[in-house]
Amino acid sequence: WTPFAHPQITLRIKAPIPIRTQFFKHKQGFVENEISRRYVTYVPDLYVPFWRHAPTDGAKQGSSDFIEDDIERISCNEKYISASNICIKMYYSLINDHDVSPEQARMILPQGVYTEWYWTGSLAAYARFYKQRIHSSAQWEVRIYAQAIGDQIRKLFPHSWKTLTEEDSRIAVEPLPESQFKDNVEMDRRSVEAASKAETGDYSGGDPGIDS
C-alpha cells in the first residue's frame, strides 16, 4: 500500500460539528486545520437536517427511513430552528451586550452549526475513509460527504481509486428526499436572517427576540 501513501490531496470541507467529529476520527495519514472562533468572527451557518426515524431492531445508533409525514417533519423543523436560533441569538447577546469573549460565547452555539477545515491526506488514507464512511452502517450525512469526496478523487486517480476502494461493490447512498427541499430552504433562510440580525444586536429575526 506504500505507493498510495505518497500522493497527497488537500480538500476544504464544510460540515456540521457532529459530522466533523466523525471525519476527525480518521487520524492515520491525515492532518487538519480547522477554522476557530477564537480567532475568526463569522456568522454561524446552521445545517437543517433531513429528518430520519430512529433505528429499528433495538440498535443503539444509526437511523432508518426518512420521515415522510409532512406534519411530523415540519414540527421537527420548527422545534429545531427555534431552539437553534435562540442559541445563536444568545451567542451574540453574550458578545454584544455583556462583553463576553468569543472563545467562551461560542460554547452556547448549537451542534448543528457548520465548521470548516482544510484536510490533507494520502490517497491511501482517503480510500480508507471512503470505504468506512460510504458503508450503509455509517450516518447518512457522512455518507453523502464520502460520496462527494470519492467523486473528486476518482477524477484525479481513476485506476488507483477503483483498486483501493473496490468500487464495483460500493453501496449506493440514498438520494435527498425532494419533498423536503422547499421546507429546509425556508428553515435555512430563517436561520440566516436571525443570525445576521443578531450580529448587529437586533434579536428580532427568525423567531421572538430575547431579553439582553
Side-chain angles (χ1 to χ4, degrees):
W1 64 273
T2 53
F4 304 110
H6 290 284
Q8 298 289 301
I9 304 155
T10 298
L11 299 176
R12 182 174 178 175
I13 301 174
K14 179 178 179 180
I17 290 173
I19 305 305
R20 179 278 318 268
T21 301
Q22 295 184 47
F23 271 86
F24 285 7
K25 289 181 180 293
H26 298 264
K27 291 297 184 184
Q28 185 176 356
F30 286 108
V31 63
E32 68 273 349
N33 281 96
E34 184 181 8
I35 192 169
S36 172
R37 288 187 181 275
R38 291 190 68 198
Y39 309 107
V40 179
T41 300
Y42 61 100
V43 175
D45 189 4
L46 184 70
Y47 168 65
V48 181
F50 291 85
W51 303 106
R52 299 171 70 95
H53 288 288
T56 57
D57 301 326
K60 294 183 179 180
Q61 65 179 24
S63 58
S64 54
D65 297 331
F66 288 105
I67 295 177
E68 296 183 355
D69 182 87
D70 288 342
I71 295 177
E72 186 175 1
R73 178 170 44 79
I74 291 172
S75 177
C76 290
N77 274 346
E78 288 293 339
K79 291 176 181 178
Y80 176 80
I81 204 71
S82 295
S84 297
N85 280 351
I86 289 173
C87 291
I88 292 171
K89 292 174 187 179
M90 287 288 187
Y91 166 73
Y92 281 116
S93 179
L94 289 171
I95 294 173
N96 296 334
D97 303 329
H98 304 286
D99 197 31
V100 171
S101 65
E103 68 179 7
Q104 290 184 312
R106 62 181 173 167
M107 296 178 186
I108 201 171
L109 288 172
Q111 285 280 293
V113 297
Y114 282 96
T115 185
E116 297 183 43
W117 69 95
Y118 286 100
W119 211 33
T120 299
S122 68
L123 178 59
Y126 273 109
R128 286 195 300 271
F129 166 83
Y130 176 87
K131 291 179 71 173
Q132 291 182 32
R133 298 300 177 176
I134 200 68
H135 196 271
S136 59
S137 62
Q139 184 171 342
W140 178 79
E141 281 86 355
V142 80
R143 294 181 70 203
I144 292 295
Y145 279 94
Q147 181 174 260
I149 288 172
D151 289 344
Q152 294 300 314
I153 298 179
R154 188 182 305 107
K155 299 174 186 177
L156 301 173
F157 305 95
H159 300 295
S160 297
W161 188 251
K162 184 174 181 179
T163 298
L164 288 168
T165 62
E166 301 173 344
E167 280 203 296
D168 287 342
S169 61
R170 106 180 208 184
I171 300 172
V173 180
E174 304 96 316
L176 289 168
E178 295 286 344
S179 61
Q180 296 188 28
F181 276 141
K182 183 178 180 181
D183 290 337
N184 281 35
V185 167
E186 172 60 19
M187 293 298 105
D188 184 65
R189 184 199 65 76
R190 284 172 52 185
S191 174
V192 170
E193 176 195 16
S196 298
K197 286 188 174 183
E199 185 181 27
T200 67
D202 178 357
Y203 308 119
S204 64
D207 292 282
I210 62 170
D211 294 326
S212 61

